[in-house]
């Protein structure tokens, strides 16, 4: 009954939608057709929805559908962390959840119609296609204890084709970097719990294998000289919070693909 109601609502928005009842059916359909968005209930009969999302991500060719999770499940911390890396929106089922789904869908459709709603500064020298190419398939570690910010960054970078990992503490950041040698860039909140961003940077720059890892420091502190302190501690670049998405993408592109002149100077 819920899915029938959703299909009716989506049809009213002019969206062409198909419904399947199992994860197996979903994977078979996705193998044959390309979809822009998938709405997933975590309580599927043949496979937990989290595992379905993992399968979608692992099988993505850089054009994975946007994922919206619609669930009545009380999520554990582990499930929440996984969903933050996979989903663009997590909506808890209640009397207002269908309308929330429609709001997210309308936002998605608006993004499709206007892929670059924010103008890129003329002096940035960055084209959207170049940004997409720079991030496609790149493994990025987002070290951020505010899960709303972590989710926002994960969705943005994942939408550009990046493979995103999330760490909630400084210790977890160092552990994930040790476990994933293929991380190409680190987005580091400087106010992390357990070990702050400055200590994380000191640890990284003391180890030979991490000395060249690009680190983008992020901070909401308004104290003077924050940028200079971060760069002196070993950060490659600095952005203040709230992060401007266009500037973030441009900065990541520069960190991942240094200009010829910069490389020669280095």
């Amino acid at each position: 009954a819920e899915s029938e109601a959703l299909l009716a609502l989506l049809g009213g928005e002019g969206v062409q939608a198909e419904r399947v009842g199992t994860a197996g059916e979903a994977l078979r359909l996705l193998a044959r057709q390309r979809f822009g968005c998938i709405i997933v209930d975590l309580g599927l009969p043949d496979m937990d929805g989290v595992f379905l999302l993992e399968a979608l991500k692992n099988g993505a060719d850089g054009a994975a559908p946007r994922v919206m999770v619609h669930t009545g499940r009380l999520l554990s911390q582990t499930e929440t962390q996984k969903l933050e890396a996979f989903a663009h929106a997590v909506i808890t089922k209640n009397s207002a959840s269908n309308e929330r789904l429609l709001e997210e869908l309308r936002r998605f459709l608006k993004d499709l119609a206007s892929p670059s709603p924010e103008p890129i500064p003329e002096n940035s020298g960055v084209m959207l296609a170049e940004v997409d190419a720079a991030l496609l398939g790149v493994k990025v570690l987002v070290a951020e204890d505010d899960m709303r910010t972590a989710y926002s960054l994960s969705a943005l970078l994942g939408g550009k084709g990046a493979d995103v990992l999330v760490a909630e503490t400084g210790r977890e950041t160092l552990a994930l970097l040790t476990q994933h040698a293929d991380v190409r860039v680190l987005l580091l909140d400087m106010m992390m719990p357990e070990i702050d961003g400055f200590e994380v940077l000191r640890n990284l720059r003391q180890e030979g294998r991490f000395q060249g890892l690009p680190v983008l420091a992020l901070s909401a502190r308004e104290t003077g000289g924050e940028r200079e302190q971060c760069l002196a501690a070993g950060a490659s670049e600095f952005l203040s919070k709230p992060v401007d998405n266009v500037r973030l993408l441009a900065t990541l592109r520069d960190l991942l693909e240094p200009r010829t002149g910069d490389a020669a100077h280095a």
Side-chain angles (χ1 to χ4, degrees):
E2 271 187 5
S3 57
E4 287 289 353
L6 273 178
L7 284 175
L9 285 172
L10 295 172
E13 294 289 317
V15 175
Q16 181 181 353
E18 296 199 37
R19 180 191 63 188
V20 294
T22 68
E25 289 178 89
L27 291 172
R28 285 191 289 273
L29 188 58
L30 287 164
R32 298 194 304 268
Q33 299 180 41
R34 182 154 300 213
F35 291 83
C37 180
I38 176 171
I39 299 171
V40 179
D41 181 0
L42 298 181
L44 299 171
D46 60 336
M47 181 189 296
D48 187 282
V50 176
F51 293 118
L52 171 61
L53 297 183
E54 288 180 339
L56 290 176
K57 185 175 181 180
N58 292 336
D61 60 358
R66 177 170 295 214
V67 173
M68 299 181 193
V69 172
H70 191 217
T71 182
R73 180 190 299 178
L74 182 62
L75 299 172
S76 67
Q77 184 178 7
T78 300
E79 288 176 322
T80 300
Q81 289 176 335
K82 285 185 177 181
L83 291 178
E84 282 161 357
F86 299 145
H88 294 78
V90 179
I91 299 165
T92 302
K93 290 182 180 180
N94 55 40
S95 59
S97 61
N98 282 351
E99 183 56 37
R100 169 88 191 282
L101 269 176
L102 286 180
E103 288 176 8
E104 292 290 344
L105 184 66
R106 290 176 189 130
R107 188 175 294 116
F108 171 52
L109 294 174
K110 183 178 178 181
D111 289 345
L112 284 181
S114 180
S116 180
E118 299 177 79
I120 294 178
E122 291 182 5
N123 62 354
S124 71
V126 178
M127 299 299 291
L128 286 175
E130 292 176 325
V131 169
D132 290 347
L135 288 171
L136 188 61
V138 170
K139 183 166 285 189
V140 179
L141 175 56
V142 174
E144 171 62 67
D145 64 314
D146 184 330
M147 284 299 100
R148 293 168 300 179
T149 302
Y151 171 78
S152 176
L153 291 173
S154 297
L156 173 69
L157 300 177
K160 298 295 181 183
D163 182 6
V164 184
L165 300 173
V166 177
E168 292 187 65
T169 69
R171 293 188 191 280
E172 187 181 3
T173 300
L174 295 173
L176 283 175
L177 285 172
T178 300
Q179 296 166 19
H180 299 271
D182 54 344
V183 169
R184 293 272 310 281
V185 63
L186 167 64
L187 276 65
L188 177 63
D189 176 25
M190 300 307 292
M191 299 177 66
M192 296 286 282
E194 295 183 356
I195 299 176
D196 69 14
F198 291 99
E199 185 64 25
V200 170
L201 280 170
R202 281 191 286 271
N203 276 273
L204 291 179
R205 297 319 188 198
Q206 286 171 4
E207 288 197 42
R209 57 180 169 162
F210 294 130
Q211 287 181 359
L213 176 70
V215 178
L216 176 55
L218 307 175
S219 177
R221 283 185 291 211
E222 297 181 359
T223 56
E226 183 75 4
R227 181 177 191 277
E228 290 71 21
Q229 292 177 39
C230 291
L231 296 180
S236 309
E237 190 50 270
F238 171 87
L239 289 178
S240 59
K241 291 181 176 179
V243 177
D244 177 83
N245 288 348
V246 172
R247 191 172 298 279
L248 171 66
L249 293 174
T251 302
L252 287 176
R253 186 242 181 196
D254 285 344
L255 290 176
L256 290 165
E257 298 183 355
R259 293 184 178 88
T260 303
D262 294 340
H265 178 71

PDB file of all heavy atoms in Angstrom, residues 205-225:
ATOM      1  N   ARG A 205      52.330  14.225   8.992  1.00  0.00           N
ATOM      2  CA  ARG A 205      53.541  14.783   8.375  1.00  0.00           C
ATOM      3  C   ARG A 205      54.819  14.182   8.944  1.00  0.00           C
ATOM      4  O   ARG A 205      55.897  14.337   8.361  1.00  0.00           O
ATOM      5  CB  ARG A 205      53.544  16.302   8.534  1.00  0.00           C
ATOM      6  CG  ARG A 205      52.386  17.021   7.828  1.00  0.00           C
ATOM      7  CD  ARG A 205      52.065  16.452   6.458  1.00  0.00           C
ATOM      8  NE  ARG A 205      51.078  17.260   5.727  1.00  0.00           N
ATOM      9  CZ  ARG A 205      50.377  16.838   4.701  1.00  0.00           C
ATOM     10  NH1 ARG A 205      50.515  15.583   4.282  1.00  0.00           N
ATOM     11  NH2 ARG A 205      49.529  17.625   4.079  1.00  0.00           N
ATOM     12  N   GLN A 206      54.705  13.475  10.072  1.00  0.00           N
ATOM     13  CA  GLN A 206      55.880  12.806  10.627  1.00  0.00           C
ATOM     14  C   GLN A 206      56.119  11.449   9.979  1.00  0.00           C
ATOM     15  O   GLN A 206      57.199  10.879  10.128  1.00  0.00           O
ATOM     16  CB  GLN A 206      55.710  12.630  12.144  1.00  0.00           C
ATOM     17  CG  GLN A 206      55.873  13.934  12.923  1.00  0.00           C
ATOM     18  CD  GLN A 206      55.498  13.783  14.386  1.00  0.00           C
ATOM     19  OE1 GLN A 206      55.181  12.683  14.852  1.00  0.00           O
ATOM     20  NE2 GLN A 206      55.524  14.890  15.119  1.00  0.00           N
ATOM     21  N   GLU A 207      55.085  10.936   9.280  1.00  0.00           N
ATOM     22  CA  GLU A 207      55.221   9.642   8.601  1.00  0.00           C
ATOM     23  C   GLU A 207      55.487   9.867   7.119  1.00  0.00           C
ATOM     24  O   GLU A 207      54.738  10.587   6.453  1.00  0.00           O
ATOM     25  CB  GLU A 207      53.945   8.808   8.779  1.00  0.00           C
ATOM     26  CG  GLU A 207      53.760   8.264  10.178  1.00  0.00           C
ATOM     27  CD  GLU A 207      52.742   7.144  10.220  1.00  0.00           C
ATOM     28  OE1 GLU A 207      52.770   6.283   9.307  1.00  0.00           O
ATOM     29  OE2 GLU A 207      51.932   7.126  11.151  1.00  0.00           O
ATOM     30  N   GLY A 208      56.517   9.221   6.611  1.00  0.00           N
ATOM     31  CA  GLY A 208      56.916   9.431   5.230  1.00  0.00           C
ATOM     32  C   GLY A 208      55.818   9.180   4.219  1.00  0.00           C
ATOM     33  O   GLY A 208      55.656   9.936   3.255  1.00  0.00           O
ATOM     34  N   ARG A 209      55.009   8.153   4.434  1.00  0.00           N
ATOM     35  CA  ARG A 209      53.998   7.798   3.432  1.00  0.00           C
ATOM     36  C   ARG A 209      52.869   8.812   3.359  1.00  0.00           C
ATOM     37  O   ARG A 209      52.127   8.855   2.377  1.00  0.00           O
ATOM     38  CB  ARG A 209      53.419   6.410   3.723  1.00  0.00           C
ATOM     39  CG  ARG A 209      52.804   6.279   5.099  1.00  0.00           C
ATOM     40  CD  ARG A 209      52.248   4.888   5.308  1.00  0.00           C
ATOM     41  NE  ARG A 209      51.888   4.676   6.703  1.00  0.00           N
ATOM     42  CZ  ARG A 209      51.080   3.706   7.107  1.00  0.00           C
ATOM     43  NH1 ARG A 209      50.550   2.893   6.213  1.00  0.00           N
ATOM     44  NH2 ARG A 209      50.802   3.555   8.379  1.00  0.00           N
ATOM     45  N   PHE A 210      52.704   9.642   4.405  1.00  0.00           N
ATOM     46  CA  PHE A 210      51.627  10.625   4.399  1.00  0.00           C
ATOM     47  C   PHE A 210      52.114  12.056   4.185  1.00  0.00           C
ATOM     48  O   PHE A 210      51.321  12.986   4.196  1.00  0.00           O
ATOM     49  CB  PHE A 210      50.845  10.570   5.720  1.00  0.00           C
ATOM     50  CG  PHE A 210      50.099   9.288   5.939  1.00  0.00           C
ATOM     51  CD1 PHE A 210      50.235   8.595   7.134  1.00  0.00           C
ATOM     52  CD2 PHE A 210      49.270   8.761   4.966  1.00  0.00           C
ATOM     53  CE1 PHE A 210      49.550   7.409   7.352  1.00  0.00           C
ATOM     54  CE2 PHE A 210      48.580   7.581   5.159  1.00  0.00           C
ATOM     55  CZ  PHE A 210      48.726   6.903   6.358  1.00  0.00           C
ATOM     56  N   GLN A 211      53.414  12.236   4.009  1.00  0.00           N
ATOM     57  CA  GLN A 211      53.941  13.591   3.893  1.00  0.00           C
ATOM     58  C   GLN A 211      53.407  14.317   2.660  1.00  0.00           C
ATOM     59  O   GLN A 211      53.248  15.530   2.666  1.00  0.00           O
ATOM     60  CB  GLN A 211      55.471  13.562   3.881  1.00  0.00           C
ATOM     61  CG  GLN A 211      56.062  13.256   5.248  1.00  0.00           C
ATOM     62  CD  GLN A 211      57.571  13.244   5.251  1.00  0.00           C
ATOM     63  OE1 GLN A 211      58.207  13.457   4.214  1.00  0.00           O
ATOM     64  NE2 GLN A 211      58.176  13.001   6.403  1.00  0.00           N
ATOM     65  N   GLY A 212      53.133  13.563   1.600  1.00  0.00           N
ATOM     66  CA  GLY A 212      52.642  14.188   0.375  1.00  0.00           C
ATOM     67  C   GLY A 212      51.138  14.138   0.209  1.00  0.00           C
ATOM     68  O   GLY A 212      50.610  14.576  -0.822  1.00  0.00           O
ATOM     69  N   LEU A 213      50.414  13.618   1.213  1.00  0.00           N
ATOM     70  CA  LEU A 213      48.953  13.509   1.106  1.00  0.00           C
ATOM     71  C   LEU A 213      48.321  14.900   1.157  1.00  0.00           C
ATOM     72  O   LEU A 213      48.521  15.638   2.124  1.00  0.00           O
ATOM     73  CB  LEU A 213      48.399  12.657   2.248  1.00  0.00           C
ATOM     74  CG  LEU A 213      46.870  12.533   2.320  1.00  0.00           C
ATOM     75  CD1 LEU A 213      46.358  11.686   1.162  1.00  0.00           C
ATOM     76  CD2 LEU A 213      46.432  11.942   3.655  1.00  0.00           C
ATOM     77  N   PRO A 214      47.540  15.283   0.146  1.00  0.00           N
ATOM     78  CA  PRO A 214      46.862  16.579   0.201  1.00  0.00           C
ATOM     79  C   PRO A 214      45.839  16.595   1.340  1.00  0.00           C
ATOM     80  O   PRO A 214      45.013  15.694   1.449  1.00  0.00           O
ATOM     81  CB  PRO A 214      46.170  16.678  -1.163  1.00  0.00           C
ATOM     82  CG  PRO A 214      46.895  15.717  -2.047  1.00  0.00           C
ATOM     83  CD  PRO A 214      47.312  14.599  -1.146  1.00  0.00           C
ATOM     84  N   VAL A 215      45.913  17.617   2.179  1.00  0.00           N
ATOM     85  CA  VAL A 215      44.982  17.764   3.302  1.00  0.00           C
ATOM     86  C   VAL A 215      44.321  19.136   3.211  1.00  0.00           C
ATOM     87  O   VAL A 215      45.002  20.164   3.233  1.00  0.00           O
ATOM     88  CB  VAL A 215      45.695  17.626   4.660  1.00  0.00           C
ATOM     89  CG1 VAL A 215      44.697  17.839   5.804  1.00  0.00           C
ATOM     90  CG2 VAL A 215      46.373  16.263   4.784  1.00  0.00           C
ATOM     91  N   LEU A 216      43.008  19.129   3.096  1.00  0.00           N
ATOM     92  CA  LEU A 216      42.228  20.368   3.071  1.00  0.00           C
ATOM     93  C   LEU A 216      41.658  20.581   4.466  1.00  0.00           C
ATOM     94  O   LEU A 216      40.771  19.849   4.914  1.00  0.00           O
ATOM     95  CB  LEU A 216      41.112  20.279   2.035  1.00  0.00           C
ATOM     96  CG  LEU A 216      40.148  21.460   1.962  1.00  0.00           C
ATOM     97  CD1 LEU A 216      40.882  22.775   1.742  1.00  0.00           C
ATOM     98  CD2 LEU A 216      39.114  21.239   0.863  1.00  0.00           C
ATOM     99  N   ALA A 217      42.171  21.583   5.178  1.00  0.00           N
ATOM    100  CA  ALA A 217      41.724  21.879   6.532  1.00  0.00           C
ATOM    101  C   ALA A 217      40.418  22.675   6.490  1.00  0.00           C
ATOM    102  O   ALA A 217      40.279  23.607   5.692  1.00  0.00           O
ATOM    103  CB  ALA A 217      42.794  22.663   7.287  1.00  0.00           C
ATOM    104  N   LEU A 218      39.468  22.302   7.364  1.00  0.00           N
ATOM    105  CA  LEU A 218      38.182  22.985   7.457  1.00  0.00           C
ATOM    106  C   LEU A 218      37.972  23.455   8.894  1.00  0.00           C
ATOM    107  O   LEU A 218      38.216  22.692   9.831  1.00  0.00           O
ATOM    108  CB  LEU A 218      37.037  22.041   7.069  1.00  0.00           C
ATOM    109  CG  LEU A 218      37.144  21.324   5.722  1.00  0.00           C
ATOM    110  CD1 LEU A 218      35.996  20.340   5.563  1.00  0.00           C
ATOM    111  CD2 LEU A 218      37.146  22.324   4.569  1.00  0.00           C
ATOM    112  N   SER A 219      37.531  24.693   9.060  1.00  0.00           N
ATOM    113  CA  SER A 219      37.321  25.203  10.414  1.00  0.00           C
ATOM    114  C   SER A 219      36.247  26.275  10.437  1.00  0.00           C
ATOM    115  O   SER A 219      36.167  27.099   9.522  1.00  0.00           O
ATOM    116  CB  SER A 219      38.628  25.767  10.985  1.00  0.00           C
ATOM    117  OG  SER A 219      38.422  26.313  12.270  1.00  0.00           O
ATOM    118  N   ALA A 220      35.443  26.241  11.502  1.00  0.00           N
ATOM    119  CA  ALA A 220      34.417  27.265  11.704  1.00  0.00           C
ATOM    120  C   ALA A 220      34.885  28.321  12.695  1.00  0.00           C
ATOM    121  O   ALA A 220      34.169  29.284  12.962  1.00  0.00           O
ATOM    122  CB  ALA A 220      33.130  26.616  12.216  1.00  0.00           C
ATOM    123  N   ARG A 221      36.085  28.153  13.242  1.00  0.00           N
ATOM    124  CA  ARG A 221      36.594  29.126  14.204  1.00  0.00           C
ATOM    125  C   ARG A 221      36.880  30.448  13.510  1.00  0.00           C
ATOM    126  O   ARG A 221      37.417  30.476  12.402  1.00  0.00           O
ATOM    127  CB  ARG A 221      37.867  28.603  14.874  1.00  0.00           C
ATOM    128  CG  ARG A 221      37.580  27.570  15.945  1.00  0.00           C
ATOM    129  CD  ARG A 221      38.824  27.155  16.674  1.00  0.00           C
ATOM    130  NE  ARG A 221      39.718  26.389  15.824  1.00  0.00           N
ATOM    131  CZ  ARG A 221      40.527  25.432  16.267  1.00  0.00           C
ATOM    132  NH1 ARG A 221      40.535  25.138  17.549  1.00  0.00           N
ATOM    133  NH2 ARG A 221      41.321  24.776  15.458  1.00  0.00           N
ATOM    134  N   GLU A 222      36.525  31.512  14.168  1.00  0.00           N
ATOM    135  CA  GLU A 222      36.682  32.839  13.581  1.00  0.00           C
ATOM    136  C   GLU A 222      37.868  33.587  14.167  1.00  0.00           C
ATOM    137  O   GLU A 222      37.986  34.803  14.027  1.00  0.00           O
ATOM    138  CB  GLU A 222      35.393  33.648  13.788  1.00  0.00           C
ATOM    139  CG  GLU A 222      34.187  33.022  13.085  1.00  0.00           C
ATOM    140  CD  GLU A 222      32.927  33.839  13.265  1.00  0.00           C
ATOM    141  OE1 GLU A 222      32.991  34.883  13.958  1.00  0.00           O
ATOM    142  OE2 GLU A 222      31.883  33.448  12.727  1.00  0.00           O
ATOM    143  N   THR A 223      38.747  32.862  14.832  1.00  0.00           N
ATOM    144  CA  THR A 223      39.936  33.502  15.396  1.00  0.00           C
ATOM    145  C   THR A 223      40.868  33.924  14.279  1.00  0.00           C
ATOM    146  O   THR A 223      40.953  33.276  13.237  1.00  0.00           O
ATOM    147  CB  THR A 223      40.679  32.535  16.333  1.00  0.00           C
ATOM    148  OG1 THR A 223      40.994  31.332  15.605  1.00  0.00           O
ATOM    149  CG2 THR A 223      39.813  32.184  17.525  1.00  0.00           C
ATOM    150  N   GLY A 224      41.564  35.014  14.484  1.00  0.00           N
ATOM    151  CA  GLY A 224      42.482  35.499  13.459  1.00  0.00           C
ATOM    152  C   GLY A 224      43.641  34.546  13.232  1.00  0.00           C
ATOM    153  O   GLY A 224      44.125  33.893  14.161  1.00  0.00           O
ATOM    154  N   GLY A 225      44.061  34.450  11.990  1.00  0.00           N
ATOM    155  CA  GLY A 225      45.210  33.626  11.658  1.00  0.00           C
ATOM    156  C   GLY A 225      44.938  32.144  11.608  1.00  0.00           C
ATOM    157  O   GLY A 225      45.881  31.341  11.593  1.00  0.00           O
TER     158      GLY A 225
END
